Amino acid sequence: MRKTYLAAALIALISTITGIAVGIAGAQDGGDRTVTDDDVNRVARQLYCPICENVPLDVCGTRACIDARNEIRQMLEDGMSDEEIIAVFVERWGERAVATPRDPTLSFLVWALPLTAIVIAVALLVWQLYSWSERRTRPAQQAPAIQPGTDDKYRQRLEREIRERS
Amino acid sequence: MLAEIGIVTETLALLAAVYAVVAALWSVQKRERRWLHSARNAVAVSWLMITAALLALLIELINADFSLLYVYNTTDRASDLALRITALWGGQAGSLLFWSWIMGAFALAAVLSNWDTDRRFMPYVIAVTIGTLAFFLSLTVFFENPFDRFWQDPSGNVIVSALQPPNTWPLAQRDGLGMNPLLRHPGMLIHPPTLYLGYVGLVIPFAFAVAALATGDLSPRWIRATKTWALIAWLFLSLGLLLGMRWAYDVLGWGGYWGWDPVENSALLPWLTGTAFLHSVLIQEKRGMLKKWNMVLIIITYLLVVLGTFSTRSGIVSSVHSFAESPIGGPMLVFLAVSVGIALWLLFRRWDSLRSEAELDSVFSREAFFIINNMLFAGLTIATFWGTYAPIFSELLTGEKITMGPPYFESVNGPLFGVLFLLMGLAPLLAWRRTSTRHLIRALAIPTVLALALVVVIFISGTRHPVALLGFGVVGFAGFSTLAEYWKGAVARHRSRGEPYLLGLLNLFKRNRHRYGGYLIHLGIVIIAFGIIGSSIFQEETQQRLAAGESLVIDGYEMVFEGLDQGMAPDGSKYVVQARVSVYQNGQLVARLNPRRDIFINPHGAQDLTSPSVYSTVGGDFYVILVSWEEIGDEGTTFKVYLNPLVGWIWWGGVILVIGTLIAVWPDRRESRIRSRALATGLAGSSEVA
Amino acid sequence: MSEEPAKKSRIPIGLVLLAVLIVAVLAVMAWRLSIVSQGRPTSGPAPDFSMTVFDDIEGMEYAGETITLSQFRGQIVILNFWASWCDPCRDEAEALENIWRLYRDQGLIVIGVDHAADGGPAAREYMLEFGISYPNGLDMGSKIGDLYHITGVPETFVIDRDGNIVEVFVRPFRESEMLDILERLGVE
């Protein structure tokens, strides 16, 4: 029982990370099998046709998309894996056929910016909070040392230097 | 005749708006009150003229006058009254005029309600709001005129023009094209107007910010004057987003409500910065910090509002929802550059005067957590912005077109939202300035234990998905922490005044509407988040072809296809094909559903609309739709069934959010008393001057 | 507020950065807008492209070869964008095949571009149904369609012997119209 839970958790984890694990698992039983609408939709969901932009292929009603889904069905019946089918469509339609680009350069372009932005933001935040609390503590220690009404900058500086040396 | 009235009034409205801007700025130059009074009156005239033009267009739509291109494009004879009214914003030209009308109304209301209290700001508030209005009006007059008509010349050519070209005669089409069936939904009746109200409402705080920069009055006055405006704008924007989601869920038939489409994102972006703004202005009010940031935030919000309008209407992004390509892109971009340029220049001039009055005392303080909250909203904005416009950048840099779909947004925005919920739970527990660790731990204990208990319960009930458990835990923590605030408040009132707990709770709202209304908004958001996590992680679907009498099974449900009904609708507007299905859960009949397909017929051809049918419970929706591209008949009909767990929570959370916002913006008697006192002294001051 | 008057003349780096960023975004938008509002070319030199001709259609000219538009300089080119799911394209296919068979000896070539989202078995059936023998290929990644800024199918471009576009149909053409144009270009 515990083993099955573990396996389930593992599968869930992998599928959230890659989002394609199910597809590969589905394709592995191979051979000549009946392909259901759900199988077709599983692949189609990951594709975007150039005619209906931003509409996943599994819910697109145009003739072009119906033809493409029939082709996917044929490919599945021929025993192609989900990944192979997706690759065919990426070659034919270009990188826009998938939800996020697969080409390494484009993929880098797309993912690098948000990730760098997040890293920089976190760094900035930490630095800012640090410098704020730093600035807060310093005047608090100095405040009593400087007598109110001391306008003379030179004297202030002198006092500070004396303090620092001591 | 009505078309002429429309053309004349919209032109007069534009002239009055331009005059108002000039007169308002002139009043500063000349230091003369009467120019400002004149500007104010011109604002009123302009708005009345737009109202007249809008009414003219409305009557033309209701009368189905197909000599107008706009009427021809958006309605047909078969449309009923509600649809004809909706057509007012169903197309580019009409929606621009409608946008202008709302802008005019908001500008007028903002000017009148702050006329006595913030007189110094008024010239600039008028210049910014009415300047924006004048720009949108000029688009309707010069580029997208809703009163363009058909004309025919002697050789039979059809010309479209607002004014009659020489040697032509008017031409009226026999029937219109009718509205896209996808837009024929009650959600569509109110979704665009609410979204516009949200957009336009955000222009008001921007105008006051510019006024503060221009006058040099950098006190929180501009924030106080516009806090309610910002909150109302935020309410409408939230409502617009929720209604849009509901419309997508009910009509588009793909089982979801949010597709991270560029048009959806362009409405979400100002919502993100607007939400950040609502939080960060609190710090400026309470602690005199973040002055620069608030200015930047409201300028960016304005930028995103206009940019969103620009990108959905110019065809630069490919989207399901975008308007047809239109010549207004260029002018809009120029306007955007000029207005943001001016705002940034003003900000640059005042940059050094906007220094913080206080410094952060401790990282464990409410202001520190608000700052982190703002950083997260900024991060969400950047990530969403990038996801929306990356295809354009990619095409520019590499020549390759790409799609940015849900996986990108989910994996980048998901964690950011997660941390945001953590903060939502933590921030109310912290005091301003600093909080002792001991106090913090004590305050944290109850919500943390409850959140962990929730996770354990969900785990025991069979959910093993790690992301979902984490999500539910974090969101639950935020919810429990907020509830604990109410509980603490009620207990405190009970102890100190002996009020019964429930009365104490009610009095909490009375005493501090902003705070406890705000917490109610938090609770609404928490419930929405539960719905989003449930429906996006645990959605199930199946598609099967059934003959009458056959059934399909999905996760404990059995759906039996009983048969088909079809025929013309009684009003003759459409042909309806409707399936009868019964849904059984554990062998018990729970619902009879009727997914259907409507075929709208008009002289220009048939248009198709498939409507899902839904069985809703607290636990989730059973959502079934006919697959329209497959053959439909008794011997075989293809159904697609989605199970969407917890999706109803999104709508209920939305209702709570609206109630919370209304409580927060409801005029406070005490506040208005202070206000009227200030007004009296202000008036006394001005009478001295006079 | 008046603590640090010495800081006054410092340039606010954050603000400048923000301004630069906004300018960059607006510039990209302007670029995109100029692309979107650019219509299809209706005259002047036809944009050059290359395309691999289907290799599995019996009797198709250049089967399996990669052809470029510029290699047909000196010939009249009819460039036709089509898709198997487009009904009006079907009427044209027959006319195009007739024209190609009639005039290929006089220096005329018909190039069929199978528009995006197509290319599967349906496209092959389509070509076999009409016995198409003029070269046809798949518009990989819609690159050729983008080059000609097409907005749908069918669209047909007629290119003269000097490589200039002389006629554009953004709708199905009638065979007689096409014959008139060809006559003007010196084919009969």
Side-chain angles (χ1 to χ4, degrees):
Chain A
M1 198 65 178
R2 253 180 66 196
K3 245 183 186 169
T4 27
Y5 283 155
L6 211 68
L10 206 65
I11 287 172
L13 189 72
I14 292 168
S15 63
T16 44
I17 294 166
T18 62
I20 49 171
V22 185
I24 295 164
Q28 267 161 0
D29 47 323
D32 194 35
R33 67 217 156 89
T34 47
V35 175
T36 64
D37 287 357
D38 288 341
D39 294 327
V40 174
N41 284 341
R42 185 190 63 232
V43 182
R45 196 176 321 138
Q46 302 172 56
L47 290 168
Y48 294 80
C49 96
I51 303 292
C52 337
E53 285 165 298
N54 286 308
V55 181
L57 192 57
D58 65 326
V59 291
C60 167
T62 60
R63 283 268 302 277
C65 294
I66 295 168
D67 284 350
R69 275 195 299 268
N70 287 334
E71 201 181 340
I72 292 173
R73 183 184 298 272
Q74 187 59 53
M75 289 167 161
L76 284 170
E77 281 169 2
D78 292 347
M80 284 172 77
S81 74
D82 292 14
E83 277 305 295
E84 287 165 356
I85 296 172
I86 291 168
V88 167
F89 282 99
V90 170
E91 203 201 342
R92 188 185 297 170
W93 293 342
E95 284 293 329
R96 65 166 143 184
V98 275
T100 49
R102 325 198 118 199
D103 174 79
T105 321
L106 287 171
S107 185
F108 177 78
L109 176 79
V110 159
W111 291 100
L113 185 111
L115 292 179
T116 357
I118 288 170
V119 169
I120 292 175
V122 168
L124 264 178
L125 191 73
V126 170
W127 177 77
Q128 187 78 321
L129 290 176
Y130 176 77
S131 74
W132 264 327
S133 42
E134 187 80 332
R135 245 190 292 169
R136 184 194 58 80
T137 45
R138 233 186 306 126
Q141 288 160 354
Q142 286 178 7
I146 301 164
Q147 283 142 14
T150 325
D151 293 326
D152 190 347
K153 274 186 187 163
Y154 290 107
R155 209 175 134 190
Q156 275 185 34
R157 197 171 154 186
L158 196 71
E159 283 180 0
R160 197 167 58 232
E161 276 170 9
I162 292 168
R163 251 202 329 276
E164 275 166 11
R165 286 213 185 133
S166 59
Chain B
M1 185 58 203
L2 275 168
E4 277 86 5
I5 291 176
I7 293 166
V8 169
T9 48
E10 67 177 2
T11 312
L12 285 176
L14 174 60
L15 292 174
V18 171
Y19 170 78
V21 174
V22 174
L25 293 176
W26 191 244
S27 79
V28 182
Q29 186 70 28
K30 285 266 146 193
R31 296 172 191 284
E32 279 185 50
R33 274 278 157 80
R34 56 197 184 99
W35 284 106
L36 188 57
H37 281 270
S38 178
R40 180 190 62 181
N41 297 340
V43 175
V45 168
S46 181
W47 182 70
L48 286 175
M49 287 296 130
I50 306 171
T51 311
L54 203 68
L55 280 175
L57 184 59
L58 187 62
I59 296 170
E60 290 284 45
L61 282 166
I62 292 171
N63 289 344
D65 179 358
F66 296 119
S67 63
L68 266 71
L69 173 70
Y70 185 77
V71 178
Y72 170 79
N73 276 335
T74 53
T75 51
D76 58 7
R77 294 199 183 280
S79 299
D80 60 11
L81 184 66
L83 270 177
R84 289 185 188 181
I85 294 171
T86 319
L88 203 53
W89 49 80
Q92 177 90 272
S95 74
L96 280 172
L97 187 64
F98 187 69
W99 206 101
S100 306
W101 182 70
I102 295 176
M103 182 76 245
F106 267 53
L108 189 60
V111 168
L112 292 182
S113 65
N114 294 288
W115 183 253
D116 294 310
T117 44
D118 303 294
R119 183 71 61 85
R120 269 188 79 199
F121 285 171
M122 282 306 130
Y124 304 102
V125 170
I126 291 177
V128 173
T129 55
I130 303 303
T132 308
L133 171 67
F135 170 72
F136 277 91
L137 274 175
S138 68
L139 289 182
T140 65
V141 173
F142 298 117
F143 295 98
E144 289 278 355
N145 200 324
F147 298 102
D148 277 348
R149 285 167 287 176
F150 293 108
W151 308 95
Q152 196 164 25
D153 71 4
S155 49
N157 294 324
V158 177
I159 301 160
V160 171
S161 160
L163 303 174
Q164 184 166 17
N167 207 9
T168 58
W169 57 91
L171 172 78
Q173 305 284 353
R174 217 167 47 80
D175 198 352
L177 297 174
M179 195 184 288
N180 183 343
L182 285 180
L183 303 181
R184 301 179 185 196
H185 177 263
M188 248 322 145
L189 205 67
I190 37 179
H191 160 67
T194 42
L195 214 50
Y196 295 167
L197 283 167
Y199 274 180
V200 167
L202 286 172
V203 176
I204 307 291
F206 171 73
F208 276 79
V210 169
L213 289 173
T215 56
D217 179 355
L218 300 170
S219 65
R221 171 182 285 270
W222 71 274
I223 286 172
R224 240 170 262 141
T226 58
K227 215 163 81 176
T228 309
W229 286 101
L231 208 51
I232 291 174
W234 184 87
L235 171 65
F236 281 118
L237 207 52
S238 311
L239 205 57
L241 286 169
L242 284 163
L243 287 169
M245 287 157 78
R246 186 64 202 245
W247 167 75
Y249 188 68
D250 285 353
V251 173
L252 295 185
W254 49 277
Y257 42 83
W258 189 267
W260 297 105
D261 178 90
V263 168
E264 296 166 358
N265 291 346
S266 60
L268 179 68
L269 284 168
W271 185 88
L272 290 170
T273 55
T275 313
F277 179 75
L278 287 178
H279 288 95
S280 68
V281 292
L282 279 176
I283 306 187
Q284 182 169 349
E285 263 193 315
K286 289 256 181 343
R287 305 276 291 120
M289 300 162 79
L290 294 188
K291 291 179 181 176
K292 293 170 184 168
W293 175 250
N294 285 332
M295 285 291 175
V296 169
L297 210 48
I298 196 67
I299 292 172
I300 300 253
T301 304
Y302 180 80
L303 172 88
L304 289 173
V305 164
V306 182
L307 191 69
T309 319
F310 160 76
S311 57
T312 52
R313 286 159 187 270
S314 62
I316 67 153
V317 289
S318 40
S319 156
V320 202
H321 311 275
S322 54
F323 288 84
E325 261 172 52
S326 145
I328 64 176
M332 283 193 87
L333 204 54
V334 172
F335 171 75
L336 188 59
V338 169
S339 51
V340 172
I342 291 173
L344 284 179
W345 178 70
L346 286 171
L347 182 57
F348 179 78
R349 276 186 44 205
R350 303 282 180 197
W351 191 252
D352 287 307
S353 323
L354 283 166
R355 197 161 302 128
S356 193
E357 288 164 29
E359 289 183 341
L360 210 57
D361 292 313
S362 159
V363 178
F364 289 104
S365 62
R366 193 174 289 182
E367 51 267 46
F369 273 65
F370 271 41
I371 290 166
I372 304 173
N373 145 310
N374 263 252
M375 293 295 283
L376 284 167
F377 273 113
L380 281 165
T381 309
I382 293 170
T384 308
F385 184 90
W386 177 244
T388 310
Y389 295 105
I392 296 179
F393 284 81
S394 157
E395 207 186 332
L396 174 67
L397 296 174
T398 66
E400 189 78 39
K401 289 187 172 171
I402 58 169
T403 303
M404 290 293 265
Y408 165 82
F409 293 98
E410 282 161 8
S411 54
V412 176
N413 286 359
L416 289 174
F417 270 117
V419 183
L420 210 47
F421 274 101
L422 211 55
L423 289 186
M424 187 197 262
L426 282 171
L429 308 179
L430 296 163
W432 294 105
R433 303 187 75 102
R434 57 167 61 251
T435 309
S436 71
T437 326
R438 215 167 39 134
H439 170 85
L440 185 63
I441 288 170
R442 214 173 40 206
L444 269 173
I446 293 173
T448 310
V449 167
L450 286 173
L452 285 175
L454 179 73
V455 172
V456 169
V457 167
I458 294 172
F459 186 85
I460 288 170
S461 71
T463 301
R464 296 289 181 273
H465 197 294
V467 176
L469 288 174
L470 189 67
F472 282 132
V474 168
V475 172
F477 169 71
F480 289 128
S481 155
T482 312
L483 285 175
E485 283 301 299
Y486 284 117
W487 181 66
K488 267 187 269 179
V491 168
R493 284 192 84 88
H494 173 75
R495 287 218 186 109
S496 63
R497 303 176 190 221
E499 284 172 2
Y501 291 110
L502 213 59
L503 183 69
L505 195 64
L506 280 176
N507 281 334
L508 280 182
F509 282 108
K510 263 192 202 158
R511 206 195 48 181
N512 197 338
R513 286 179 205 284
H514 259 100
R515 182 159 184 197
Y516 290 97
Y519 286 158
L520 206 55
I521 300 177
H522 279 191
L523 279 182
I525 301 263
V526 161
I527 292 169
I528 291 174
F530 272 112
I532 290 175
I533 295 173
S535 57
S536 52
I537 295 184
F538 298 108
Q539 187 182 53
E540 291 175 63
E541 63 168 84
T542 184
Q543 180 179 318
Q544 288 177 37
R545 191 166 177 81
L546 304 176
E550 286 183 338
S551 67
L552 63 81
V553 173
I554 176 170
D555 196 19
Y557 286 99
E558 186 186 9
M559 188 192 87
V560 183
F561 174 32
E562 313 280 5
L564 281 178
D565 301 319
Q566 42 193 318
M568 282 306 284
D571 63 353
S573 64
K574 60 191 176 189
Y575 186 79
V576 180
V577 182
Q578 184 173 282
R580 277 176 282 117
V581 301
S582 303
V583 182
Y584 296 86
Q585 191 176 17
N586 306 324
Q588 292 236 298
L589 179 71
V590 289
R592 292 182 192 283
L593 299 177
N594 300 104
R596 54 195 273 181
R597 178 183 182 188
D598 298 340
I599 300 148
F600 293 86
I601 302 149
N602 77 12
H604 303 281
Q607 284 174 302
D608 212 277
L609 176 67
T610 24
S611 309
S613 188
V614 183
Y615 163 59
S616 286
T617 60
V618 181
D621 283 7
F622 183 99
Y623 180 109
V624 54
I625 189 159
L626 295 172
V627 176
S628 61
W629 49 83
E630 301 283 353
E631 218 170 298
I632 294 173
D634 279 325
E635 52 298 327
T637 295
T638 305
F639 294 91
K640 194 163 191 179
V641 176
Y642 293 92
L643 293 186
N644 293 320
L646 302 186
V647 72
W649 291 39
I650 296 174
W651 323 125
W652 288 111
V655 171
I656 293 175
L657 178 147
V658 170
I659 295 171
T661 321
L662 287 177
I663 290 174
V665 296
W666 206 259
D668 194 329
R669 223 178 288 146
R670 206 172 30 156
E671 211 172 89
S672 62
R673 220 181 305 135
I674 298 166
R675 215 175 143 78
S676 60
R677 205 179 305 140
L679 199 74
T681 50
L683 281 179
S686 68
S687 66
E688 270 165 38
V689 174
Chain C
M1 284 234 293
S2 54
E3 280 171 354
E4 297 163 277
K7 268 192 173 177
K8 197 158 188 188
S9 56
R10 230 175 58 175
I11 296 169
I13 298 168
L15 189 61
V16 171
L17 220 65
L18 181 73
V20 169
L21 220 69
I22 290 176
V23 168
V25 165
L26 292 183
V28 171
M29 298 288 162
W31 170 82
R32 173 70 186 160
L33 192 65
S34 74
I35 295 286
V36 169
S37 47
Q38 218 172 66
R40 54 184 71 70
T42 53
S43 61
D48 198 16
F49 63 88
S50 57
M51 175 182 88
T52 306
V53 178
F54 289 113
D55 57 1
D56 51 356
I57 306 294
E58 191 86 22
M60 183 169 281
E61 198 81 4
Y62 299 108
E65 288 177 44
T66 299
I67 57 172
T68 55
L69 179 66
S70 49
Q71 82 185 68
F72 300 107
R73 187 62 55 86
Q75 302 189 42
I76 294 165
V77 181
I78 299 178
L79 178 63
N80 175 246
F81 290 91
W82 61 273
S84 60
W85 37 264
C86 143
D87 287 327
C89 298
R90 295 180 169 265
D91 304 334
E92 284 185 342
E94 220 168 340
L96 284 169
E97 182 64 23
N98 287 339
I99 290 170
W100 151 251
R101 288 194 181 169
L102 271 173
Y103 300 112
R104 56 184 296 186
D105 301 335
Q106 298 185 41
L108 174 132
I109 178 125
V110 178
I111 299 176
V113 178
D114 186 6
H115 183 52
D118 207 14
R124 278 157 184 82
E125 253 167 55
Y126 174 95
M127 286 179 285
L128 291 174
E129 183 184 341
F130 298 103
I132 289 175
S133 62
Y134 57 84
N136 273 277
L138 194 55
D139 185 2
M140 287 290 187
S142 307
K143 294 264 198 278
I144 308 172
D146 288 346
L147 214 53
Y148 284 81
H149 290 96
I150 67 163
T151 49
V153 277
E155 288 197 19
T156 307
F157 295 77
V158 184
I159 300 160
D160 69 10
R161 294 180 196 274
D162 302 323
N164 291 316
I165 297 172
V166 289
E167 194 74 46
V168 179
F169 294 98
V170 192
R171 55 176 172 83
F173 62 82
R174 288 189 292 275
E175 198 166 347
S176 60
E177 283 176 314
M178 189 56 83
L179 292 176
D180 285 348
I181 293 162
L182 293 179
E183 200 173 328
R184 234 178 17 190
L185 291 172
V187 178
E188 31 203 301

Coordinates of all heavy atoms in Angstrom, one line a residue, chain B residues 58-84:
Chain B
L58 N -27.2 54.6 -29.7 CA -28.0 53.6 -29.1 C -29.3 53.5 -29.8 O -29.8 52.4 -30.1 CB -28.2 54.0 -27.6 CG -29.0 52.9 -26.7 CD1 -28.2 51.6 -26.7 CD2 -29.2 53.4 -25.3
I59 N -29.9 54.7 -30.1 CA -31.2 54.7 -30.8 C -31.1 54.1 -32.2 O -31.9 53.3 -32.6 CB -31.8 56.1 -30.9 CG1 -32.1 56.6 -29.4 CG2 -33.1 56.1 -31.7 CD1 -32.5 58.0 -29.3
E60 N -30.0 54.4 -32.9 CA -29.7 53.8 -34.2 C -29.6 52.3 -34.1 O -30.1 51.6 -35.0 CB -28.4 54.4 -34.8 CG -28.5 55.9 -35.1 CD -29.2 56.1 -36.4 OE1 -30.3 55.5 -36.6 OE2 -28.7 56.9 -37.3
L61 N -29.0 51.8 -33.0 CA -28.8 50.4 -32.9 C -30.2 49.7 -32.6 O -30.5 48.7 -33.2 CB -27.9 50.1 -31.7 CG -26.4 50.2 -32.0 CD1 -25.6 50.2 -30.7 CD2 -25.9 49.1 -32.9
I62 N -31.0 50.4 -31.7 CA -32.3 49.8 -31.4 C -33.2 49.8 -32.6 O -33.9 48.9 -32.9 CB -32.9 50.6 -30.2 CG1 -32.1 50.3 -28.9 CG2 -34.3 50.1 -30.0 CD1 -32.4 51.1 -27.8
N63 N -33.1 50.9 -33.4 CA -33.9 51.0 -34.6 C -33.3 50.1 -35.8 O -33.9 50.1 -36.8 CB -34.0 52.5 -35.1 CG -34.8 53.3 -34.2 OD1 -35.6 52.8 -33.4 ND2 -34.7 54.6 -34.3
A64 N -32.2 49.5 -35.5 CA -31.5 48.7 -36.6 C -31.4 49.5 -37.9 O -31.9 49.1 -38.9 CB -32.3 47.4 -36.8
D65 N -30.8 50.7 -37.8 CA -30.6 51.5 -39.0 C -29.3 51.1 -39.7 O -28.2 51.5 -39.4 CB -30.5 53.0 -38.5 CG -30.2 53.9 -39.7 OD1 -30.1 53.4 -40.9 OD2 -30.2 55.1 -39.5
F66 N -29.5 50.2 -40.7 CA -28.4 49.6 -41.4 C -27.7 50.6 -42.4 O -27.0 50.1 -43.3 CB -28.8 48.3 -42.0 CG -29.2 47.3 -41.0 CD1 -30.4 46.7 -41.0 CD2 -28.3 46.9 -40.0 CE1 -30.8 45.8 -40.0 CE2 -28.6 46.0 -39.0 CZ -29.9 45.4 -39.0
S67 N -28.0 51.9 -42.4 CA -27.3 52.8 -43.2 C -26.0 53.1 -42.5 O -25.1 53.7 -43.1 CB -28.1 54.0 -43.5 OG -28.3 54.7 -42.3
L68 N -25.9 52.7 -41.2 CA -24.6 52.9 -40.5 C -23.7 51.7 -40.5 O -24.2 50.6 -40.2 CB -24.9 53.3 -39.0 CG -25.0 54.8 -38.7 CD1 -26.2 55.4 -39.3 CD2 -24.9 55.0 -37.2
L69 N -22.5 51.9 -40.8 CA -21.6 50.7 -40.9 C -21.5 50.0 -39.6 O -21.5 48.8 -39.5 CB -20.2 51.2 -41.3 CG -19.1 50.2 -41.3 CD1 -19.3 49.1 -42.4 CD2 -17.7 50.8 -41.4
Y70 N -21.5 50.8 -38.5 CA -21.3 50.2 -37.2 C -22.5 49.3 -36.8 O -22.4 48.2 -36.3 CB -21.1 51.3 -36.1 CG -20.8 50.7 -34.7 CD1 -19.6 50.2 -34.5 CD2 -21.8 50.6 -33.8 CE1 -19.3 49.6 -33.3 CE2 -21.5 50.0 -32.5 CZ -20.3 49.5 -32.3 OH -20.0 49.0 -31.1
V71 N -23.7 49.8 -37.1 CA -24.9 49.1 -36.8 C -25.0 47.8 -37.7 O -25.3 46.7 -37.2 CB -26.2 50.0 -37.1 CG1 -27.4 49.2 -36.9 CG2 -26.1 51.2 -36.3
Y72 N -24.6 48.0 -38.9 CA -24.5 46.8 -39.8 C -23.6 45.7 -39.3 O -23.9 44.6 -39.4 CB -24.1 47.3 -41.2 CG -23.8 46.3 -42.2 CD1 -24.8 45.6 -42.9 CD2 -22.4 45.9 -42.5 CE1 -24.5 44.6 -43.8 CE2 -22.2 44.9 -43.4 CZ -23.2 44.3 -44.1 OH -22.9 43.3 -45.0
N73 N -22.4 46.2 -38.8 CA -21.4 45.2 -38.4 C -21.8 44.5 -37.1 O -21.3 43.4 -36.8 CB -20.1 45.9 -38.2 CG -19.3 46.0 -39.4 OD1 -19.5 45.2 -40.4 ND2 -18.4 47.0 -39.5
T74 N -22.6 45.1 -36.2 CA -22.7 44.6 -34.9 C -24.1 44.0 -34.5 O -24.3 43.4 -33.5 CB -22.4 45.6 -33.8 OG1 -23.1 46.8 -34.0 CG2 -20.9 46.0 -33.8
T75 N -25.1 44.3 -35.4 CA -26.5 43.8 -35.1 C -27.1 43.2 -36.3 O -26.6 43.4 -37.4 CB -27.4 44.9 -34.6 OG1 -27.4 46.0 -35.5 CG2 -27.1 45.3 -33.2
D76 N -28.2 42.6 -36.1 CA -29.0 42.2 -37.3 C -30.5 42.2 -36.8 O -30.8 42.5 -35.7 CB -28.7 40.8 -37.8 CG -28.8 39.7 -36.7 OD1 -29.3 40.0 -35.6 OD2 -28.4 38.6 -37.0
R77 N -31.4 42.0 -37.7 CA -32.8 42.2 -37.4 C -33.3 41.2 -36.4 O -34.2 41.4 -35.6 CB -33.7 42.0 -38.7 CG -33.4 43.1 -39.7 CD -34.5 43.3 -40.7 NE -34.2 44.3 -41.6 CZ -34.3 45.6 -41.4 NH1 -34.8 46.0 -40.3 NH2 -33.9 46.5 -42.3
A78 N -32.6 40.0 -36.3 CA -33.1 39.0 -35.4 C -32.7 39.3 -33.9 O -33.2 38.6 -33.0 CB -32.5 37.6 -35.8
S79 N -31.8 40.2 -33.7 CA -31.3 40.4 -32.4 C -32.4 41.1 -31.5 O -33.1 41.9 -32.0 CB -30.1 41.4 -32.4 OG -29.0 40.8 -33.2
D80 N -32.4 40.7 -30.3 CA -33.4 41.3 -29.4 C -32.8 42.6 -28.7 O -31.6 43.0 -29.0 CB -33.8 40.3 -28.3 CG -32.7 39.9 -27.4 OD1 -31.6 40.5 -27.5 OD2 -32.8 38.9 -26.6
L81 N -33.6 43.2 -27.9 CA -33.2 44.6 -27.4 C -31.9 44.5 -26.6 O -31.0 45.3 -26.8 CB -34.4 45.1 -26.5 CG -34.1 46.5 -25.9 CD1 -34.1 47.5 -27.1 CD2 -35.2 46.8 -24.9
A82 N -31.8 43.5 -25.7 CA -30.6 43.4 -24.9 C -29.3 43.3 -25.8 O -28.3 44.0 -25.6 CB -30.6 42.2 -24.0
L83 N -29.4 42.5 -26.8 CA -28.3 42.3 -27.7 C -27.9 43.6 -28.5 O -26.8 43.9 -28.7 CB -28.6 41.3 -28.8 CG -28.2 39.9 -28.3 CD1 -28.6 38.9 -29.4 CD2 -26.7 39.8 -28.1
R84 N -29.0 44.4 -28.8 CA -28.7 45.6 -29.5 C -28.1 46.7 -28.6 O -27.2 47.4 -29.1 CB -30.1 46.2 -30.1 CG -30.5 45.3 -31.2 CD -31.8 45.9 -31.9 NE -32.2 44.9 -32.8 CZ -33.3 45.1 -33.6 NH1 -34.0 46.2 -33.6 NH2 -33.7 44.1 -34.5

